């Protein structure tokens, strides 16, 4: 009898274990949102781990307070996104006309292949261990990407151009800024303020006010194999600590370097500047974004002919 009770307990324990393994996926389903419907209503009705697919159309901004996967299919969001939950994935949205195109106030999120245009600020990050990969941020008035009091965030393979400022990181540690195109931003391409142990590598940084700007005791950051070309100041330091400007004998390319070293100040010297630009293989897609009129709307049906189109300029792949 005792043996049977033990076996029953084992069976019950096994059943509970299987239930726990299955439970996170029992609510995983796809929810489709069509033009004219509310994304926020779909989020409110969803369960954690659900996937929300936003079909072609123009929608209002929304806030996310649970773990979701959100994918756009030629969807345009007029207004900002606020991410409050952890481990959210957002892909393929065009976001425009907001104070903040996207605010991330949580951790472990992934933002991929989105376009943020014509906002006051593009993307603001206050959480940790987020991945910002393959996005386009342009024509934003102040900051394209603003990283604030955080650690272990990754900003990889984004196109950041014609904003007031490029990437602004303050009080950030152990972050990665890798393989981005950063050009034609008015004030700076990258600014590190009170940052430590940030790695800046393999970026193409051109025609900004300041290519990279370190201040306010930013120190122990590693900056190497970047191209700094045609910026008003390729590098600028103000009250910065000592930083490392090369790795394994590989420094940065400076378009205004004519000697064997590149000295920014007494604490910041690239001892191995490259003689020619690094071959940074960044594919910049030839794509035009027309956010008005809505996809499928005939020009003869437009009631607001003076409303502007938001269009990115054509770009190319660096070989």
């Amino acid at each position: 009898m005792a043996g049977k009770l033990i076996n029953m307990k084992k069976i019950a324990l096994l059943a509970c274990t299987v239930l726990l393994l299955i439970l996170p996926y029992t609510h995983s389903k796809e929810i489709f949102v069509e033009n004219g419907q509310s994304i926020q209503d779909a989020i409110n009705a969803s369960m954690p781990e659900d996937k929300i697919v936003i079909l072609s159309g123009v929608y209002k901004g929304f806030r996310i307070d649970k773990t979701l996967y959100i994918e756009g299919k030629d969807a345009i969001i007029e207004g900002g996104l606020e991410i409050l939950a952890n481990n959210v994935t957002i892909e393929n949205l065009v976001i425009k006309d907001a104070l903040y195109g996207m605010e991330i106030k949580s951790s472990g999120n992934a933002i991929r292949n989105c376009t943020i245009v014509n906002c006051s600020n593009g993307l603001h990050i206050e959480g940790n261990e987020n991945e910002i990969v393959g996005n386009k941020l342009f024509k934003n008035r102040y900051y394209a990407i603003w990283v604030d009091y955080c650690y272990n965030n990754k900003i990889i393979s984004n196109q950041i151009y014609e904003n007031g400022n490029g990437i602004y990181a303050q009080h950030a540690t152990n972050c990665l800024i890798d393989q981005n195109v950063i050009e034609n931003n008015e004030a700076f391409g990258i600014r590190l303020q009170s940052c430590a142990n940030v790695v800046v590598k393999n970026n193409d940084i051109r025609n900004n006010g300041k290519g990279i700007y370190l201040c306010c005791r930013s120190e122990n950051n590693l900056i190497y194999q970047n191209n700094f070309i045609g910026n008003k100041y390729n590098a600028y330091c103000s009250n910065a600590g000592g930083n490392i400007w090369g790795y394994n004998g590989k420094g940065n390319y400076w378009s205004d370097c004519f000697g064997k070293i590149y000295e920014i100040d007494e604490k910041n010297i690239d001892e191995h500047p490259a003689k020619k630009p690094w071959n940074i293989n960044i594919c910049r897609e030839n794509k035009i974004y027309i956010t008005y009129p809505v996809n499928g709307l005939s020009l003869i049906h437009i009631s607001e002919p003076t409303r502007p189109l938001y269009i990115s300029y054509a770009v190319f792949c660096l070989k």
Side-chain angles (χ1 to χ4, degrees), residues 180-242:
N180 301 280
V181 175
I182 305 171
E183 60 185 353
N184 295 314
N185 298 287
E186 184 177 352
F188 54 77
I190 298 173
R191 175 171 173 169
L192 303 182
Q193 179 171 315
S194 303
C195 293
N197 302 318
V198 174
V199 176
V200 180
K201 67 184 181 76
N202 299 324
N203 299 284
D204 203 63
I205 304 169
R206 299 172 183 251
N207 304 320
N208 305 281
K210 296 179 177 71
I212 187 166
Y213 176 23
L214 279 68
C215 74
C216 313
R217 299 199 61 78
S218 284
E219 57 189 3
N220 296 322
N221 300 292
L222 175 59
I223 304 153
Y224 71 100
Q225 278 188 246
N226 302 283
N227 293 328
F228 293 95
I229 299 173
N231 303 285
K232 185 175 180 181
Y233 299 95
N234 277 330
Y236 189 90
C237 291
S238 175
N239 192 31

Side-chain angles (χ1 to χ4, degrees), residues 42 46 68 70 151 162 181 188 196 199 210 220 244 254 296 311:
S46 68
L68 294 171
I70 296 179
Y151 59 84
E162 294 192 7
V181 175
F188 54 77
V199 176
K210 296 179 177 71
N220 296 322
I244 304 166
W254 310 92
I311 302 175

Side-chain angles (χ1 to χ4, degrees), residues 5-298:
L5 286 174
I6 292 171
N7 287 335
M8 289 295 290
K9 287 181 179 179
K10 287 182 177 179
I11 291 169
L13 180 61
L14 180 61
C16 289
T17 302
V18 171
L19 182 62
L20 288 173
L21 290 172
I22 294 173
L23 189 59
Y25 301 97
T26 56
H27 293 119
S28 182
K29 63 179 182 296
E30 284 192 348
I31 300 171
F32 291 87
V33 183
E34 296 181 355
N35 194 30
Q37 297 178 335
S38 167
I39 299 171
Q40 192 64 62
D41 287 349
I43 291 171
N44 295 342
S46 68
M47 298 296 291
E49 309 293 340
D50 282 351
K51 179 179 180 179
I52 295 177
V53 180
I54 307 170
L55 302 179
S56 178
V58 179
Y59 302 84
K60 293 181 180 179
F62 52 89
R63 66 202 302 266
I64 306 167
D65 59 359
K66 60 193 76 170
T67 299
L68 294 171
Y69 180 100
I70 296 179
E71 181 182 12
K73 301 285 188 179
D74 295 321
I76 298 165
I77 312 300
E78 290 188 333
L81 278 61
E82 188 177 22
I83 303 174
L84 304 176
N86 295 329
N87 303 315
V88 171
T89 298
I90 296 180
E91 292 188 346
N92 302 321
L93 291 179
V94 176
I95 303 160
K96 72 184 192 75
D97 299 342
L99 178 61
Y100 290 95
M102 192 179 297
E103 288 190 272
I104 300 176
K105 299 180 179 179
S106 53
S107 299
N109 305 292
I111 312 301
R112 304 189 186 107
N113 301 317
C114 292
T115 296
I116 303 178
V117 56
N118 203 51
C119 297
S120 292
N121 297 283
L123 193 156
H124 184 207
I125 304 171
E126 291 182 338
N128 308 310
E129 298 179 342
N130 298 288
E131 294 187 1
I132 313 302
V133 181
N135 304 283
K136 301 176 184 66
L137 301 101
F138 61 98
K139 298 288 187 182
N140 298 293
R141 183 174 181 183
Y142 298 114
Y143 301 109
I145 298 178
W146 176 6
V147 183
D148 214 1
Y149 288 88
C150 59
Y151 59 84
N152 288 352
N153 287 294
K154 296 179 180 179
I155 302 172
I156 302 172
S157 297
N158 301 282
Q159 298 174 35
I160 300 167
Y161 52 91
E162 294 192 7
N163 304 281
N165 308 280
I167 299 173
Y168 173 44
Q170 68 167 344
H171 296 279
T173 57
N174 300 314
C175 292
L176 174 64
I177 301 173
D178 183 17
Q179 212 166 8
N180 301 280
V181 175
I182 305 171
E183 60 185 353
N184 295 314
N185 298 287
E186 184 177 352
F188 54 77
I190 298 173
R191 175 171 173 169
L192 303 182
Q193 179 171 315
S194 303
C195 293
N197 302 318
V198 174
V199 176
V200 180
K201 67 184 181 76
N202 299 324
N203 299 284
D204 203 63
I205 304 169
R206 299 172 183 251
N207 304 320
N208 305 281
K210 296 179 177 71
I212 187 166
Y213 176 23
L214 279 68
C215 74
C216 313
R217 299 199 61 78
S218 284
E219 57 189 3
N220 296 322
N221 300 292
L222 175 59
I223 304 153
Y224 71 100
Q225 278 188 246
N226 302 283
N227 293 328
F228 293 95
I229 299 173
N231 303 285
K232 185 175 180 181
Y233 299 95
N234 277 330
Y236 189 90
C237 291
S238 175
N239 192 31
N243 296 277
I244 304 166
W245 296 84
Y247 180 72
N248 282 343
K250 297 177 180 179
N252 303 275
Y253 175 76
W254 310 92
S255 61
D256 58 347
C257 179
F258 306 105
K260 293 184 178 180
I261 64 169
Y262 188 83
E263 183 173 352
I264 303 158
D265 65 18
E266 65 277 4
K267 294 181 180 178
N268 292 278
I269 300 172
D270 187 341
E271 296 182 349
H272 302 282
K275 295 181 179 179
K276 60 181 182 180
W278 290 103
N279 184 15
I280 299 172
N281 187 22
I282 304 171
C283 185
R284 296 181 282 180
E285 184 182 17
N286 290 302
K287 186 170 182 180
I288 296 176
Y289 297 90
I290 301 178
T291 63
Y292 184 84
V294 180
N295 186 30
L297 181 64
S298 171

